Amino acid sequence: MRAIVCRAYGPPEQLVVADVADPVPGPSQLLVRVHAAAVNFPDLLLIAGKYQIRVPVPFTPGSELAGEVLVAGEDASFSPGQRVFGATAIGAFAERALLDAASAAVIPEDADFALAAAFGVTYRTAYHALRSVAQVSAGDWVVVLGAAGGVGLAAVDLAVAMKARVLAAASSRQKLRLCAQRGAAATVNYDVEDLKARIRELTGDSARVVIDPVGGSYSEPALRGLARGGTFVTLGYAAGTIPAIPLNLVLLKGISVRGMEIRTFMNDHPDEATRDVAELAQMFASGLVRPHIGARFRLAETPAALRQVAERKVLGKVVIDMP
């Protein structure tokens, strides 16, 4: 089969398309013919050797996919021919990939492979952050940084579905227009506007939650814009810089700063994670939430797809379509 292979840690451009052996499923695994795979920011960190875990080279990157079951392991409750989607640590950028049966789900009839591939990682990350970490309620003001990116737009979609009021923060009118179309009640361009002042103004100084997958220079003004007793959730650092937050701000405003990483959330909070995944699956199955796909690439164009994510040019999700 053809697959994207990382033979040495580095930028997306050093990835190659190569012929590799088909993976062999274990007892609780599925061998899936991949129809679509989605790109995520951690894919960039993995191929650069900068993620929390270091995958030995060579390996095939890619963490979420959708496709058709070819072979089901003996303990896997799926059948050949079923349309499924799910997440995996690596291996999605290939014509065939393995999924643990426990992490796979059947694709709803009215959703195509691309939508299913784009739904998993970012929406789980955003929903855990909103539902379990920040405990968002209807009517709450939720500020989302990087609101047009993968995790950001997922957070916008889900907060709107939870009947919260969303203030979407992003870096261009095009991105903010998309957020408004997805239901954001207010928007702010943090590259040209005073983020702290606009958060206070637009929310009536009542922003209860900040969801931050970006980091960099945006985190501190967003934290300063929170109302007293608010919750700041850090999810990642797509801006490339890990911010240093003055702790006196946390003390003086009674703010809670929380971190959430999807890789460990299931182990750390199994009951909440199980509940969240079930609720999220129902939202997807009912059509309440559907991801926005901003760009699509062929398998051989995977380096360009990753570069678009690296340069924060993404509107929603980037998908790799398989032949």
Side-chain angles (χ1 to χ4, degrees):
M1 70 172 187
R2 293 195 310 154
I4 296 295
V5 178
C6 176
R7 291 175 173 162
Y9 300 122
E13 289 73 21
Q14 54 84 41
L15 298 173
V16 298
V17 180
D19 289 320
V20 302
D22 285 9
V24 178
S28 300
Q29 291 184 311
L30 307 175
L31 176 62
V32 177
R33 175 184 289 119
V34 180
H35 286 259
V39 179
N40 293 287
F41 186 74
D43 298 329
L44 287 159
L45 299 179
L46 276 171
I47 66 173
K50 296 179 179 179
Y51 196 51
Q52 291 96 328
I53 58 172
R54 195 174 177 93
V55 179
V57 294
F59 69 92
T60 292
S63 59
E64 58 183 339
L65 62 95
E68 176 187 352
V69 176
L70 294 175
V71 180
E74 59 182 283
D75 296 330
S77 57
F78 290 86
S79 302
Q82 282 187 292
R83 300 191 318 144
V84 297
F85 70 106
T88 179
I90 57 173
F93 298 157
E95 292 177 331
R96 293 177 181 84
L98 296 179
L99 277 181
D100 288 335
S103 69
V106 175
I107 299 173
E109 290 185 2
D110 65 339
D112 62 21
F113 289 112
L115 286 173
F119 186 73
V121 173
T122 53
Y123 280 80
R124 278 184 59 195
T125 299
Y127 197 59
H128 290 326
L130 292 164
R131 175 77 162 93
S132 291
V133 179
Q135 300 180 359
V136 169
S137 299
D140 286 344
W141 271 108
V142 177
V143 179
V144 181
L145 306 186
V151 172
L153 197 58
V156 171
D157 289 345
L158 291 168
V160 170
M162 296 167 74
K163 302 188 184 306
R165 294 174 290 176
V166 175
L167 171 54
S171 60
S172 73
R173 281 186 291 182
Q174 181 187 20
K175 292 178 178 180
L176 295 176
R177 190 180 307 117
L178 174 62
C179 294
Q181 291 169 354
R182 305 290 285 192
T187 62
V188 56
N189 185 330
Y190 47 35
D191 278 358
V192 298
E193 299 181 77
D194 184 326
L195 181 58
K196 179 190 74 172
R198 291 293 281 160
I199 289 173
R200 289 180 170 177
E201 176 186 348
L202 292 168
T203 68
D205 202 18
S206 60
R208 200 185 77 74
V209 174
V210 168
I211 302 295
D212 181 12
V214 181
S217 62
Y218 308 109
S219 298
E220 184 176 330
L223 187 143
R224 288 179 180 274
L226 267 175
R228 287 193 57 80
T231 300
F232 184 100
V233 185
T234 176
L235 297 176
Y237 311 103
T241 305
I242 299 174
I245 298 296
L247 284 179
N248 64 311
L249 297 178
V250 178
L251 182 152
L252 293 173
K253 301 185 72 169
I255 291 169
S256 296
V257 178
R258 301 283 305 277
M260 202 293 293
E261 192 219 358
I262 192 170
R263 186 176 60 88
T264 56
F265 187 80
M266 180 67 80
N267 291 331
D268 293 343
H269 307 281
D271 293 340
E272 292 91 339
T274 299
R275 177 202 62 199
D276 292 354
V277 169
E279 292 176 354
L280 198 55
Q282 181 57 39
M283 289 184 189
F284 189 49
S286 68
L288 179 62
V289 176
R290 286 286 188 269
H292 174 81
I293 298 173
R296 303 174 79 146
F297 293 82
R298 298 189 300 272
L299 181 63
E301 299 172 322
T302 299
L306 285 158
R307 175 55 59 191
Q308 187 171 93
V309 172
E311 295 178 354
R312 296 171 57 208
K313 295 179 179 178
V314 180
L315 295 177
K317 292 288 288 188
V318 173
V319 168
I320 307 297
D321 292 308
M322 301 299 169

